[in-house]
Amino acid sequence: MIRKIIALSAFTAALALGAQNIHTVVKGDNAYNISKKYGISTAELYRMNPKVQDGKISIGEVLVVGKSTGSKPAAQSAQLGKIIIQPKQTIYGLTKQYKISEADLRALNPNLDSNMKIGSEVTLPLAAISSYGGNQVIAAQNSSVETPAVAEKTVNSDANDTYMVQPKDNYYKLTRKFSLTQKELFAMNPGLEEKGLRPGETIIVQGNTSSPAPAKSATEKIETDTPAPNTYTTTSTADDYVTYTVQSGDTVFGILNKFGIGLDELLTLNPNLSSGLKAGMVLKIKKLDAGYVKKSGDALNVVIMLPFGFDTNDSKFRTLSLDFLSGAKLAIERSAASGQKLDVKIIDAGNEASFKNSLTQINSDNTDLIIGPFFKSNVLQVLDYVKTQKIPVVAPFANSDDLLKFENLILIETNQSVFADRIVKEVKDVYSDQKIYIVADDDKSNANYLKTNLEKTLKNANVVIVNSGAEIEPDKNMMTGQSAPVIAILASDRDADGDAFANRMMALSKEISGIKAFSMYYSPIFERKVDELSQVNLVYLMDRKVDSEGRFEKEILEAYKSKYCKTPPKYSIIGFDIVNDMLSRENKKGEIFKQMNKVQTQLATKFEFEKIRNGAYVNKGYRVVRLLPN
């Protein structure tokens, strides 16, 4: 009763202000979503309601939200109705029956994929239901359904040194947007690192707004959740602890499993968990052990082993090695210029047969980091050579299951199963009973892995493995006899297979709409035919891709060209990325393993290491590229 009296008093007070809109706070409301609902800024909401300046809003509280205009604020009315999903209905079938695009259908039904079950309700234009519904069962119709207006993403603050946090903001975006470091951002906003970014909250950014980087082509989108070089993201280290920034969708159970810790340990390190798990919260995970500590001197002693083959007269990998070294040297010079003390030794690893002789050049009593060699058999020999000292060894290209047991090994190449698992997830997100084709390479291991996991993940999936993109055919609708779209996946890294796959996808897109295409690998034709392949919403994965518009990337490309008078070739980029990343993780004590939880993106490579329990550090970083229709 007391709460009702308070609410009524607030309501009466609001009316006394004149003809104004009011809003009664309900569960889940905050300043940000209320301001967006009524088309005002959070600053305006605070001005009209001084009592909520501290951001605390209580359920049942009545807020002034602007002058009344006699119409519903920030909303547009549309005549909509709902239908009940019947057996065998699909998203594609609805778009054809009701003459609506898939984009419009999804806009009206944000949870469309989860709602495509028999008996579920789907929202459609009322006119379309009346014209094309036939005997379709219709749910109770709303004569006027509010559709919130799309909010602008750019928010202007009242002062040049403040900024209102948006739902998809993260520290990386803000530091780039306002030319700040994370330390500067945290220093200007005490408590921000602990509580995280909260949509609708105003933070201090010092007014150093810089012009945003040029937007990418509307038809190509690279996943933007990758961090700047040498900056922390979800997992990092601070004060000798592994720390983790909670992401949307995280659960305590999931975090315990991810890091292999107990609930009592997590609660002991994070008393603030008593108020609940919230996105943006920074958690201490566990105390770090040194793993390896350098033995003497101020300089970091680094060995780089490359198969030049000078002594063995084997030049097979010499060009590759020279390119790798050119990129590595640029990284070394940058690290030295920043004040890092380095003593770097380059060793000719010869070839696999003669490799053992090169090991004698390594002083295992005073080496802090070994980068290389390239071949698995040689990596195993190095690991055996330094096993008592546990010197960190970085394998640039070798990656196999028998290497996973070595705790001092860092594997750079991302395993193919990581790519395949992401493709399964991408397919699951758009799957609606379509037939699925997988284009295989000769050994079919990737294709078989995909098929097995798709059949486990999707209900009654019809998955077919073929040898060429030319074998992909439209499906047939059993009721109408008309062609129906399919899902196609490329599981081969051969350019010829990529060409055939892309050409078939482009041809099918002209015959039928709704085709979905995915690829575990990049193929050159994907960049040559962006516009055409965007019609099938092609999604492909890349272990490396240079963002030519990035500020850091431009700086490195210009530095390389100035030094070598050419654009860096593939293995120069790899050499720079690996050496720059590894050196950035080293501290003065050589404690590289304390820094392995940092997620970093260098010139082209994303490094996101995961430690195998009692084993190696494995890179699981990659880029996702989406081709979107204009």
Side-chain angles (χ1 to χ4, degrees):
M1 175 63 76
I2 292 175
R3 176 173 287 182
K4 288 182 179 179
I5 292 172
I6 293 173
L8 181 59
S9 299
F11 178 76
T12 305
L15 287 179
L17 295 175
Q20 293 177 314
N21 282 318
I22 59 171
H23 174 84
T24 302
V25 178
V26 298
K27 185 177 180 180
D29 274 350
N30 57 42
Y32 174 74
N33 62 33
I34 292 172
S35 63
K36 288 305 167 194
K37 180 175 182 179
Y38 293 95
I40 60 176
S41 68
T42 309
E44 289 173 314
L45 182 67
Y46 288 151
R47 277 200 298 271
M48 291 184 282
N49 301 273
K51 60 186 176 182
V52 299
Q53 284 285 3
D54 59 359
K56 294 180 180 178
I57 299 175
S58 304
I59 295 174
E61 191 168 4
V62 178
L63 304 178
V64 178
V65 290
K67 295 287 185 182
S68 176
T69 61
S71 60
K72 293 173 183 177
Q76 54 190 12
S77 294
Q79 294 294 314
L80 302 176
K82 293 183 178 180
I83 62 167
I84 304 296
I85 293 298
Q86 302 299 298
K88 297 185 179 180
Q89 279 195 313
T90 64
I91 293 174
Y92 173 72
L94 292 180
T95 62
K96 292 303 177 186
Q97 180 178 350
Y98 291 98
K99 313 299 183 188
I100 184 174
S101 69
E102 184 174 338
D104 290 341
L105 182 63
R106 289 185 180 278
L108 291 174
N109 301 273
N111 299 315
L112 180 63
D113 294 313
S114 60
N115 282 349
M116 286 302 296
K117 300 174 183 175
I118 298 172
S120 296
E121 295 181 356
V122 171
T123 300
L124 288 165
L126 190 58
I129 296 175
S130 301
S131 301
Y132 311 114
N135 295 324
Q136 178 80 62
V137 178
I138 303 175
Q141 297 174 1
N142 298 318
S143 59
S144 180
V145 179
E146 288 186 8
T147 305
V150 178
E152 292 292 329
K153 287 197 174 182
T154 302
V155 176
N156 297 318
S157 59
D158 291 334
N160 289 332
D161 60 351
T162 61
Y163 173 79
M164 188 198 303
V165 178
Q166 301 298 289
K168 293 187 179 180
D169 277 343
N170 56 42
Y171 297 137
Y172 165 61
K173 289 183 180 179
L174 296 185
T175 54
R176 291 197 69 172
K177 181 179 179 66
F178 296 103
S179 300
L180 300 168
T181 65
Q182 284 193 29
K183 287 184 179 179
E184 290 171 336
L185 185 66
F186 294 149
M188 288 185 287
N189 299 272
L192 180 63
E193 183 175 9
E194 290 75 23
K195 70 181 180 181
L197 295 169
R198 296 178 179 176
E201 183 176 32
T202 299
I203 60 174
I204 299 172
V205 292
Q206 236 178 14
N208 289 335
T209 43
S210 57
S211 300
K216 292 193 175 297
S217 165
T219 56
E220 181 181 49
K221 177 186 176 186
I222 303 173
E223 293 287 286
T224 55
D225 57 350
T226 54
N230 308 331
T231 59
Y232 297 126
T233 53
T234 56
T235 312
S236 58
T237 56
D239 300 323
D240 291 334
Y241 285 92
V242 174
T243 63
Y244 176 74
T245 303
V246 178
Q247 306 296 294
S248 177
D250 275 344
T251 63
V252 171
F253 179 73
I255 292 172
L256 297 180
N257 277 343
K258 179 180 179 71
F259 294 99
I261 58 174
L263 181 59
D264 55 342
E265 181 181 358
L266 187 67
L267 292 173
T268 300
L269 294 176
N270 302 276
N272 57 339
L273 267 177
S274 59
S275 61
L277 189 70
K278 301 173 184 176
M281 180 184 287
V282 178
L283 301 178
K284 283 185 177 180
I285 300 299
K286 56 186 173 183
K287 185 79 174 177
L288 285 164
D289 296 323
Y292 171 84
V293 178
K294 73 186 311 301
K295 297 173 181 63
S296 62
D298 293 333
L300 187 73
N301 293 282
V302 181
V303 168
I304 300 179
M305 306 188 76
L306 303 173
F308 294 107
F310 290 118
D311 292 337
T312 58
N313 250 353
D314 185 352
S315 61
K316 183 177 180 181
F317 298 103
R318 189 170 300 163
T319 299
L320 184 156
S321 298
L322 290 168
D323 285 347
F324 188 100
L325 180 60
S326 68
K329 287 173 66 176
L330 182 61
I332 292 165
E333 290 168 3
R334 287 175 58 85
S335 296
S338 69
Q340 191 174 30
K341 294 182 179 180
L342 298 170
D343 185 353
V344 182
K345 184 175 186 179
I346 309 300
I347 294 179
D348 182 356
N351 55 31
E352 289 189 84
S354 66
F355 177 76
K356 194 170 183 178
N357 298 330
S358 64
L359 289 174
T360 58
Q361 300 177 58
I362 299 175
N363 178 1
S364 58
D365 293 327
N366 193 29
T367 296
D368 301 308
L369 177 66
I370 300 172
I371 298 176
F374 286 179
F375 312 112
K376 186 184 81 168
S377 61
N378 298 156
V379 171
L380 288 168
Q381 288 175 280
V382 171
L383 290 166
D384 183 63
Y385 188 73
V386 303
K387 63 184 177 183
T388 57
Q389 294 87 355
K390 293 291 184 181
I391 298 170
V393 176
V394 180
F397 303 112
N399 188 332
S400 60
D401 290 344
D402 53 344
L403 291 173
L404 298 179
K405 63 184 178 183
F406 296 95
E407 293 189 74
N408 59 321
L409 181 61
I410 301 169
L411 298 171
I412 299 297
E413 287 293 288
T414 305
N415 192 282
Q416 299 304 302
S417 64
V418 174
F419 290 164
D421 289 341
R422 179 55 185 257
I423 292 295
V424 170
K425 177 184 180 299
E426 293 285 336
V427 171
K428 180 184 176 183
D429 289 343
V430 301
Y431 177 72
S432 181
D433 296 328
Q434 303 101 314
K435 185 175 183 178
I436 301 174
Y437 285 93
I438 302 175
V439 178
D441 53 18
D442 291 337
D443 69 9
K444 293 184 171 51
S445 57
N446 287 331
N448 288 327
Y449 182 92
L450 281 167
K451 186 176 190 294
T452 299
N453 285 278
L454 286 168
E455 289 173 341
K456 285 181 181 178
T457 305
L458 307 175
K459 186 176 180 180
N460 300 323
N462 179 11
V463 185
V464 178
I465 295 176
V466 295
N467 296 316
S468 169
E471 298 178 48
I472 300 172
E473 297 291 344
D475 201 7
K476 291 290 183 183
N477 186 305
M478 295 182 64
M479 296 182 66
T480 66
Q482 295 181 335
S483 296
V486 296
I487 291 174
I489 303 169
L490 177 63
S492 169
D493 61 354
R494 295 183 304 194
D495 288 349
D497 289 339
D499 287 345
F501 179 82
N503 288 325
R504 184 57 179 156
M505 291 298 97
M506 290 185 287
L508 287 176
S509 69
K510 296 175 181 177
E511 299 176 18
I512 185 172
S513 62
I515 298 286
K516 305 290 184 185
F518 302 89
S519 178
M520 280 181 59
Y521 303 98
Y522 160 81
S523 182
I525 194 173
F526 296 166
E527 290 187 323
R528 296 197 306 269
K529 299 291 185 180
V530 169
D531 290 338
E532 295 87 343
L533 291 171
S534 67
Q535 302 308 308
V536 294
N537 295 95
L538 175 65
V539 176
Y540 62 93
L541 309 181
M542 295 187 72
D543 52 356
R544 298 177 178 93
K545 184 174 178 65
V546 178
D547 177 7
S548 57
E549 298 297 335
R551 183 173 60 186
F552 172 79
E553 290 83 354
K554 285 182 178 179
E555 177 188 337
I556 302 305
L557 292 172
E558 289 172 4
Y560 188 94
K561 193 167 186 178
S562 174
K563 183 177 178 65
Y564 297 107
C565 300
K566 64 178 182 178
T567 301
K570 175 182 177 180
Y571 289 100
S572 296
I573 292 173
I574 294 174
F576 173 85
D577 281 358
I578 292 174
V579 175
N580 200 56
D581 190 78
M582 292 299 116
L583 293 183
S584 73
R585 296 176 190 273
E586 290 278 11
N587 61 21
K588 291 181 180 180
K589 296 180 181 179
E591 298 171 318
I592 190 171
F593 293 127
K594 280 192 174 183
Q595 314 298 324
M596 292 307 293
N597 285 311
K598 288 193 295 185
V599 180
Q600 301 183 156
T601 301
Q602 299 296 340
L603 179 57
T605 314
K606 181 178 179 181
F607 294 96
E608 185 173 356
F609 291 101
E610 181 177 300
K611 181 170 173 49
I612 303 298
R613 189 180 292 273
N614 299 320
Y617 291 87
V618 180
N619 184 24
K620 293 196 171 183
Y622 54 84
R623 305 292 189 93
V624 181
V625 183
R626 303 180 188 279
L627 304 187
L628 307 175
N630 288 320

